[in-house]
Amino acid sequence: MSNLTTPASVQKLQTALHDKAKESPSFRFYALYDKVYRKDVLAFAYACCKANGGAAGVDNQTFEDIETYGEERWLDELAQELKNRTYQPLPVRRVYIPKPDGKQRPLGVPAIRDRTAEMAAVLVLEPIFEADLPLEQYAYRRDRSALDAVRHVHKLINTGHGEIVDADLSSYFDTLPHSELLKSVARRVVDGAMLHLIKMWLEAPVEETDERGNKRRSTRNRDEGRGSPQGSPISPLLSNLYMRRFVLGWKKLGHERRLKAYIVNYADDLVICCRDKAADALVTMRGMMTKLKLTVNETKTRVCKLPEEKFDFLGYRFGRCYSPKTGRAYLGSTPSKKRVQRVCEAISQETGRNRTLLAQETVITTLNRIMIGWANYFCLGPVSPAYRAVERHARKRLRQWLCAKHKLRGQASKQFSITTLHQVLGLVELTTRTSSLPWAKSWNFLREPDARDAPVRFDEREQETEPCQTGLRRALRKQRLRMPPGDYRYCACSRLH
């Protein structure tokens, strides 16, 4: 969702729904549909969709077209359709975006009217289900992020959970079973009109355009009873809701306690951090996913044993790291090689010879935006080597682009020195950012290595042994924080030394 300020009336509605859901875990909401077409809810939903941008759907209607037609008039007509129960979603336009492995990821682009209606439903439903989602789930939630999930994994691997189930689900969004998913919604929502609305979105046809420009429509979602278009506003909420079944089942069936195995989940990315029974956890996870009608990607799912092996999660590589000052080993995280290569490819694309007609300031501004955005996410662990690699590549490519633009011959490094590139032309210096990175401020009793060198330390006495669980909870109470799931009785990091 965008960073727009929520109107007071919408916020009041969301607070009331969330408070009721929180205080009554078994309460089922029965009058929600009329909230979806409320004028203030629809208007804010449209504003969110507009702020997020995006292409037109199958009707080719753009936000500019709606402004020309009249936003208020357009919203009134949509509200009337929803109120009269005559609303029918249009087919979803399918496009493909490249994946890092060379494959293509299908993305659904609903029409703006459908995106607005879905966002309005999200504004109403999200506060209810947010009260039910477990701490292990980090995706698409307010005040939780991918970096929080990375910190959680870092915490677990440094407290003895050295065997990791690195799980991968095949086409998670495309295989969500409609019947079971709607049961998960109906556990809290008994408003028939709302359930019917969600079902229509799930079963909407998909329209594709082939290389020759021919359009083809498919009703696979309706025929097979599975799949939610990845890219529609309601898909993140539904995907979290269905993954909740697995996370809660894992705990209620006793697998977490029996195997000492703790889940960290972000959308369809999943790791299970175990003390010593990762093989059993993998078998158990496979069985549960089969019952949930989800498919485990066997080629990418594996057991990783630290510190001998490493694994990737949310763009970070976890494993053995070494302090450049002391040479001591510790378990930490660094930006993965794939993510470094990806940002370098983006820099190369923006500094190609086909862009020499662009203004110098435009290209440097674009490079800065790419590099700063990348560094804002990759700010945990010893990031300096990755920062230096990206910075060197950016300088090299910018020099080549400047020489090509101004038709200069000779050695590029002499033509444009490091000082010229950074201090005169304004290219950002990533390596100067490491001194001010926010190292796990919420977990200050476990100091992660700073961006340049220091090894992990586990308590205020600078000892490498983790405080007992009682002491840890006491420290958390002082900071008014909730401890993420895990068994923190000892730290296995000492085995590295």
Side-chain angles (χ1 to χ4, degrees), residues 11 36 42 77 101 106-107 118 160 191 193 223 292 319 338 374 395 399 406 454 489:
Q11 196 167 16
V36 174
L42 264 186
E77 291 176 359
D101 58 4
L107 195 67
E118 288 186 34
D191 188 328
D223 298 339
L292 290 171
K338 289 182 179 179
W374 182 85
R395 285 198 295 261
R399 282 174 179 141
H406 300 294
R489 287 176 293 182

Side-chain angles (χ1 to χ4, degrees), residues 103-148:
K103 297 181 180 179
Q104 290 189 316
R105 184 192 305 277
L107 195 67
V109 183
I112 294 176
R113 65 190 288 275
D114 298 327
R115 297 209 291 267
T116 302
E118 288 186 34
M119 182 61 77
V122 169
L123 292 173
V124 175
L125 294 174
E126 189 177 56
I128 297 171
F129 292 111
E130 175 61 30
D132 297 337
L133 293 180
L135 291 173
E136 292 87 349
Q137 291 185 262
Y138 287 90
Y140 318 121
R141 301 177 66 182
R142 291 185 181 182
D143 302 323
R144 298 172 80 79
S145 68
L147 287 180
D148 294 325

Side-chain angles (χ1 to χ4, degrees), residues 245-269:
R245 280 191 165 199
F246 170 72
V247 176
L248 287 188
W250 185 264
K251 294 195 286 189
K252 287 188 176 181
L253 294 173
H255 303 317
E256 180 181 272
R257 182 178 61 258
R258 176 175 60 87
L259 301 173
K260 293 183 175 61
Y262 301 93
I263 295 170
V264 182
N265 164 243
Y266 190 91
D268 56 348
D269 286 318

Side-chain angles (χ1 to χ4, degrees), residues 41-54:
V41 173
L42 264 186
F44 183 56
Y46 174 78
C48 291
C49 293
K50 186 178 179 182
N52 291 334

Side-chain angles (χ1 to χ4, degrees), residues 166 271 302 310-318 336 338:
D166 183 8
V271 292
R302 67 188 182 103
K310 297 185 177 184
F311 69 96
D312 289 353
F313 182 61
L314 299 180
Y316 281 85
R317 169 150 287 199
F318 293 85
S336 69
K338 289 182 179 179

Side-chain angles (χ1 to χ4, degrees), residues 144-396:
R144 298 172 80 79
S145 68
L147 287 180
D148 294 325
V150 171
R151 291 188 183 99
H152 189 172
V153 173
H154 184 279
K155 177 70 182 177
L156 287 168
I157 67 173
N158 277 291
T159 48
H161 303 83
E163 293 191 9
I164 311 297
V165 177
D166 183 8
D168 185 83
L169 300 178
S170 298
S171 305
Y172 174 65
F173 286 87
D174 291 335
T175 57
L176 288 173
H178 293 174
S179 177
E180 288 78 2
L181 179 58
L182 288 171
K183 285 180 183 177
S184 295
V185 179
R187 183 186 58 82
R188 275 295 207 173
V189 177
V190 292
D191 188 328
M194 178 66 86
L195 294 172
H196 178 67
L197 193 61
I198 296 172
K199 186 178 180 181
M200 285 197 298
W201 288 326
L202 290 173
E203 295 181 348
V206 173
E207 183 179 284
E208 295 185 51
T209 304
D210 60 23
E211 297 176 353
R212 298 182 179 180
N214 299 320
K215 295 181 179 180
R216 183 179 68 255
R217 289 189 180 181
S218 167
T219 57
R220 185 193 72 88
N221 286 13
R222 186 184 65 189
D223 298 339
E224 298 182 6
R226 60 191 179 97
S228 176
Q230 191 172 355
S232 64
I234 203 167
S235 284
L237 175 62
L238 297 178
S239 69
N240 264 354
L241 196 54
Y242 198 67
M243 184 60 73
R244 174 183 177 274
R245 280 191 165 199
F246 170 72
V247 176
L248 287 188
W250 185 264
K251 294 195 286 189
K252 287 188 176 181
L253 294 173
H255 303 317
E256 180 181 272
R257 182 178 61 258
R258 176 175 60 87
L259 301 173
K260 293 183 175 61
Y262 301 93
I263 295 170
V264 182
N265 164 243
Y266 190 91
D268 56 348
D269 286 318
L270 173 74
V271 292
I272 306 175
C273 302
C274 315
R275 284 204 179 277
D276 55 7
K277 297 179 180 179
D280 294 340
L282 176 58
V283 173
T284 305
M285 183 271 293
R286 281 198 189 107
M288 290 185 66
M289 289 300 180
T290 300
K291 290 181 179 179
L292 290 171
K293 299 182 181 180
L294 299 174
T295 305
V296 176
N297 187 336
E298 298 295 343
T299 59
K300 293 183 179 180
T301 300
R302 67 188 182 103
V303 170
C304 172
K305 295 186 178 182
L306 301 174
E308 294 81 10
E309 299 176 280
K310 297 185 177 184
F311 69 96
D312 289 353
F313 182 61
L314 299 180
Y316 281 85
R317 169 150 287 199
F318 293 85
R320 180 190 277 135
C321 301
Y322 296 93
S323 167
K325 282 189 176 180
T326 65
R328 300 183 71 181
Y330 61 88
L331 289 176
S333 61
T334 59
S336 69
K337 290 183 179 179
K338 289 182 179 179
R339 291 302 184 97
V340 174
Q341 291 171 354
R342 197 185 302 181
V343 71
C344 288
E345 289 171 1
I347 291 170
S348 296
Q349 187 174 353
E350 294 298 328
T351 52
R353 289 184 174 271
N354 60 336
R355 294 180 179 266
T356 54
L357 295 178
L358 294 175
Q360 181 174 291
E361 295 76 12
T362 302
V363 171
I364 294 175
T365 299
T366 302
L367 293 183
N368 287 347
R369 177 177 52 80
I370 292 172
M371 294 167 66
I372 292 173
W374 182 85
N376 282 343
Y377 179 73
F378 292 101
C379 60
L380 300 179
V383 296
S384 286
Y387 281 11
R388 284 194 294 268
V390 173
E391 205 173 85
R392 281 196 302 268
H393 183 76
R395 285 198 295 261
K396 176 185 174 183

